[in-house]
Amino acid sequence: MDKLKVPGKPFQISKRAIWEAWEKVKANKGAPGVDGQTIVEFESDPKNNLFKIWNRMSSGAYFPPPVRAVEIEKAHGGGTRILGVPTVADRIAQTVVALELEVKVEPIFHIDSYGYRPKRSAHDAVTACRQRCWKTDWVIDLDIRRFFDSVPWDLVVKAVEANTDLPWVVLYVKRWLKAPLMLPDGSLQIRDRGTPQGSSVSPVLANLFLHYAFDPWMAREFPGVAFERYVDDAVVHCVSEAQADHVLGALQMRMREVGLELHPDKTRIVYCKDSNRRGSNEHTVFTFLGFTFRGPSGALEVGEDVHRLQSGDQ
């Protein structure tokens, strides 16, 4: 039946796609959303629960519930951030769309985009960054301010439309973008931009947006300038301070063009100082994905992060 047009169903979504999404969500575990339903509770009647998702998505009648907002400490200090926790059923529906998009966009993504991609990891990004620190003296430690809270919806949808001919993918992306956050006090926060961290579809939407906003733009405007990007966290390698100043200025303008802003305090030009490079600059240390880079030769700071890198823990 999956391969045939189902009467009364405008969207042809296979039941196999729903099942594969469920298997992925189940493996990732995760907390319950606003309905309080756990993975274990959903699994008590998977056939009926999955049929409901398929039936509603195929008919165009699937509307996501609010996303539960949870405040958590940032992994490497620096305060807290809001994590959006969808319901189990909503994570499954989002994963159906995320997997559909991933097939289309993975082949076009930049080789130095590492975040939330198959067969790529923070370990790979940090390793590439360290190797490039040996070759160039200057880096731009780049931080996009409140990226997941600020990314413009119209440009996200435009990027999705450029990479799928399936109207249901676009429809459900639009609905997820508009889903409100349910705050701890039970009130709903209506949003007009952003895509909540914690949702299953946000990683591929973020990478797709930044693919157009950052990766090919860098390759076009500054060929030969290497970078590593892990979603909204990036390091750009420059041969001189003058080049770093020029690239940073252009990046600030580019981010404004796409509705974003570089964090004024966290974005810095850093000199890769070591025993053979003794120039001076206000900043000679930077942190990328929780790993602190300092001399000699871009060495990682001795400590827990190095042990994680050496063990391959991601």
Side-chain angles (χ1 to χ4, degrees), residues 174-195:
K174 289 179 178 179
R175 289 181 183 175
W176 281 313
L177 289 174
K178 296 177 181 178
L181 283 174
M182 180 174 284
L183 303 178
D185 64 4
S187 63
L188 294 180
Q189 182 182 88
I190 306 302
R191 301 176 302 108
D192 62 2
R193 66 192 62 220
T195 176

Side-chain angles (χ1 to χ4, degrees), residues 28 148 262 266 278-279:
N28 289 339
F148 283 93
L262 295 183
K266 295 181 180 179
R278 301 190 179 188

Side-chain angles (χ1 to χ4, degrees), residues 203-221:
V204 69
L205 295 182
N207 273 330
L208 185 55
F209 178 89
L210 286 168
H211 169 75
Y212 290 105
F214 183 84
D215 301 346
W217 180 87
M218 279 289 298
R220 182 177 66 251
E221 297 295 322

Side-chain angles (χ1 to χ4, degrees), residues 212-255:
Y212 290 105
F214 183 84
D215 301 346
W217 180 87
M218 279 289 298
R220 182 177 66 251
E221 297 295 322
F222 301 103
V225 174
F227 65 88
E228 302 84 33
R229 182 177 65 77
Y230 195 94
V231 196
D232 59 329
D233 196 357
V235 173
V236 179
H237 300 266
C238 298
V239 297
S240 67
E241 185 175 16
Q243 185 186 50
D245 281 328
H246 177 59
V247 173
L248 178 55
L251 280 168
Q252 289 170 329
M253 293 179 61
R254 176 59 176 172
M255 290 300 103

Side-chain angles (χ1 to χ4, degrees), residues 76 123 126-127 130 288-294 298-314:
H76 308 292
H123 176 281
V126 171
T127 298
R130 188 183 187 190
F288 181 46
L289 302 177
F291 297 91
T292 301
F293 287 74
R294 64 173 75 248
L300 291 168
E301 182 180 49
V302 176
E304 180 182 355
D305 287 341
V306 171
H307 297 316
R308 285 204 300 121
L309 180 59
Q310 291 172 338
S311 66
D313 182 12
Q314 299 169 23

